[in-house]
Every structure is written in C-alpha cells, then in structure tokens.
Amino acid sequence: MSRDRAPASSRTPAAKPGRLDVPNFSEEGGVRFLHFGTPWVQGAMKVQKPADLVLEYTRQMMAWLLFLEPPVGADSIGTLGLGAGSLVRYCLKHTPSSVHAVEWNPQVTAACRAYFRLPAEGDRFQITHADAGAWVEDIANRGTCPVLMVDLYDAEARGPVRDSVAFYQACRRVISGHSHQAGVMTVNLFGAHESFARNLDNLYEAFEGRIVVLPEMDAGNRVMVAFAGPPLEITTDMLLARADVVEAQYGLPARKWARFLLPVLC
C-alpha cells in the first residue's frame, strides 16, 4: 500500500469487513489503482503489462532476492495482504515458486479477480482468507514460507493492523521453522507515521536485531528486511555480484539496494 502522507494511528482489524472495506478502482494513464473508498492507493497494475511492479515499494518488497533464491518444492513465497495482487502476479511470472497469499477480506480477492487479473488458484497459487495474525500463529504454517512479504493495511490505511512483537515472532517461525532453515521477510511501513518507531523496535526484538531498512521513497514508505535462521555470510563482492544477477534477471533496481545496504551488512 502506498500513500502521499502519513496515516493516523494503527489498530486491530474488525472481526469482519465493514462498509469501508469494499474495494473500488480508478484508472489513469494505462494504470489501474485499487482503493477502499478513499484517494489512498492500495495497489496498482499496468493494464497492458499486469505482471510489472508499478509502485516503487512493491519493487523493494522483492529485495529478499538479494539473499535467497526463490523457493522450490514444498516451500512457498508467502504474502500477507493481497492488495491489487501485484506481488503475486510478479512472483508467478518471474520465479518458479509457489505463492501462498493470505487475505482477510474476500471482497479484495473478488476485486482482484474481476479487475486486476489475479491468476486462478492451482498447483502454484493458493489464497487463504484469514486474519494474518491467526495464520502466522498456526503451527501448521511454521517453516512453510522461507520468503514472506507483509503489507497489512485496512481501508483507512491507519498504520499496519498487525505489528506486535508476538506477530513478528510468529512471522519469524513461518520463514524459519527450524534453526537450519534461512528465511527472509520484507515489511511495508510508513517512515513518517507514529507507528514506525514502534514497528522498528518490535521487529528488532522479534528478530534479535537482524533487520535492515531500505531507503525511504517519495511516498514515505519504508521497507524493512528481517532475517531468520543461520547467520548470513555476506561480503561486499558477494552482495554486489548478487545485485547484478537480480538486476539482470528480474529487472529490479538491486544495485541501488546493495549500495545502500553495504555499510550495514558488509
């Protein structure tokens, strides 16, 4: 989710979608935007190139590619929050991975199917309609998604609706159910919002300090990258070489991310 100014305080979602949670869309310049009855953009899609990542923060959410290859076999890429389905479409087109999306509001899924070319469920794509907080706590989901992308905002975009230490600890168990399994999580936050410092502290505690922050974007989004499992052995040469591969193979600005992260990681 992207917006141009800071939202109000965060809150826990209601038990079921309300009148403000009904999605609608607008279209301009060949780009279709998802909204929830407000001007705030909840997702976007190029009509002619639906698998492209239109919003900059969605590209940054793919920064896990600097550290892990896309999962194969029984493991999946997990997304908490469907939005306009941008990350789902991109991952299904550009990686061999299965994708498991967790979305609280079935109306969002219906809108994605009707207006945002959401792929049909099948061998590589699954949607679970559930509260993300409950889903990550389910022991059956531990270790199932070594990659997890978290973008959880309600209709009023008032900060992340799930952001406690316990929630992030449960996310950590999803990406690394066993100590030998490496996992990476990306989280979309708002740097100018009052919830940012709390999220930073909670992520730091839940992941024992193993977090980095990517550069802030014009819309105020800040993407956090959190690591679990075995310690990463990263040198400057390794990170830059991997950035070259990601940029060439996936068309993402990975060299920019790597230069920003070098002072922190290497």
Side-chain angles (χ1 to χ4, degrees), residues 145-191:
C145 298
V147 173
L148 192 63
M149 297 181 283
V150 182
D151 190 15
L152 296 170
Y153 290 85
D154 63 7
E156 297 180 18
R158 297 191 297 180
V161 296
R162 290 297 186 212
D163 60 5
S164 67
V165 173
F167 170 72
Y168 290 133
Q169 287 173 332
C171 289
R172 182 178 176 178
R173 292 190 289 270
V174 170
I175 66 173
S176 185
H178 309 284
S179 60
H180 63 273
Q181 177 181 326
V184 180
M185 178 177 75
T186 54
V187 187
N188 176 36
L189 303 174
F190 290 137

Side-chain angles (χ1 to χ4, degrees), residues 6 9 12 17 36 38 57 60 74 76 104 108 110 113 122 139 141 146-147 151 154 193 198-199 211 223-224 247 261:
S9 60
T12 300
F36 290 108
T38 73
Y57 93 87
Q60 283 198 5
S76 298
W104 169 71
V108 170
R113 287 174 173 150
I139 193 172
N141 297 319
V147 173
D151 190 15
D154 63 7
H193 183 244
R198 180 179 69 250
N199 273 275
I211 62 171
V223 171
M224 314 286 294
E247 194 137 330
L261 293 174

Side-chain angles (χ1 to χ4, degrees), residues 114-128:
Y115 305 113
F116 292 91
R117 301 188 190 177
L118 186 70
E121 291 183 76
D123 292 341
R124 290 186 60 214
F125 179 43
Q126 176 184 357
I127 300 174
T128 296

Side-chain angles (χ1 to χ4, degrees), residues 231-250:
L232 294 173
E233 296 183 6
I234 302 173
T235 66
T236 297
D237 289 344
M238 289 169 60
L239 188 62
L240 292 176
R242 179 61 186 169
D244 287 342
V245 171
V246 172
E247 194 137 330
Q249 186 170 345
Y250 298 97

Side-chain angles (χ1 to χ4, degrees), residues 2-226:
S2 177
R3 62 184 291 162
D4 296 322
R5 63 182 176 87
S9 60
S10 64
R11 65 182 177 89
T12 300
K16 60 182 179 179
R19 63 180 180 82
L20 295 178
D21 297 306
V22 177
N24 53 46
F25 70 92
S26 63
E27 194 168 311
E28 182 178 354
V31 178
R32 190 169 295 164
F33 300 96
L34 178 71
H35 308 270
F36 290 108
T38 73
W40 310 128
V41 172
Q42 301 275 357
M45 178 190 74
K46 286 184 181 179
V47 176
Q48 297 302 319
K49 296 181 178 180
D52 283 6
L53 294 175
V54 177
L55 302 176
E56 185 179 357
Y57 93 87
T58 59
R59 294 190 285 273
Q60 283 198 5
M61 293 289 277
M62 296 295 300
W64 56 266
L65 283 166
L66 283 173
F67 310 102
L68 288 182
E69 290 288 348
V72 293
D75 293 334
S76 298
I77 295 170
T79 68
L80 304 185
L82 181 61
S86 302
L87 291 169
V88 168
R89 290 190 301 272
Y90 182 88
C91 289
L92 288 174
K93 178 174 181 178
H94 294 284
T95 79
S97 304
S98 298
V99 179
H100 190 157
V102 180
E103 171 55 48
W104 169 71
N105 187 351
Q107 296 176 89
V108 170
T109 305
C112 280
R113 287 174 173 150
Y115 305 113
F116 292 91
R117 301 188 190 177
L118 186 70
E121 291 183 76
D123 292 341
R124 290 186 60 214
F125 179 43
Q126 176 184 357
I127 300 174
T128 296
H129 290 114
D131 177 349
W135 188 86
V136 296
E137 289 284 358
D138 188 339
I139 193 172
N141 297 319
R142 291 185 181 181
T144 60
C145 298
V147 173
L148 192 63
M149 297 181 283
V150 182
D151 190 15
L152 296 170
Y153 290 85
D154 63 7
E156 297 180 18
R158 297 191 297 180
V161 296
R162 290 297 186 212
D163 60 5
S164 67
V165 173
F167 170 72
Y168 290 133
Q169 287 173 332
C171 289
R172 182 178 176 178
R173 292 190 289 270
V174 170
I175 66 173
S176 185
H178 309 284
S179 60
H180 63 273
Q181 177 181 326
V184 180
M185 178 177 75
T186 54
V187 187
N188 176 36
L189 303 174
F190 290 137
H193 183 244
E194 63 184 19
S195 68
F196 181 76
R198 180 179 69 250
N199 273 275
L200 190 62
D201 289 344
N202 291 350
L203 278 160
Y204 192 91
E205 180 177 345
F207 282 82
E208 300 178 342
R210 298 180 65 191
I211 62 171
V212 293
V213 189
L214 289 171
E216 185 170 3
M217 291 155 270
D218 291 341
N221 298 70
R222 299 297 302 271
V223 171
M224 314 286 294
V225 186

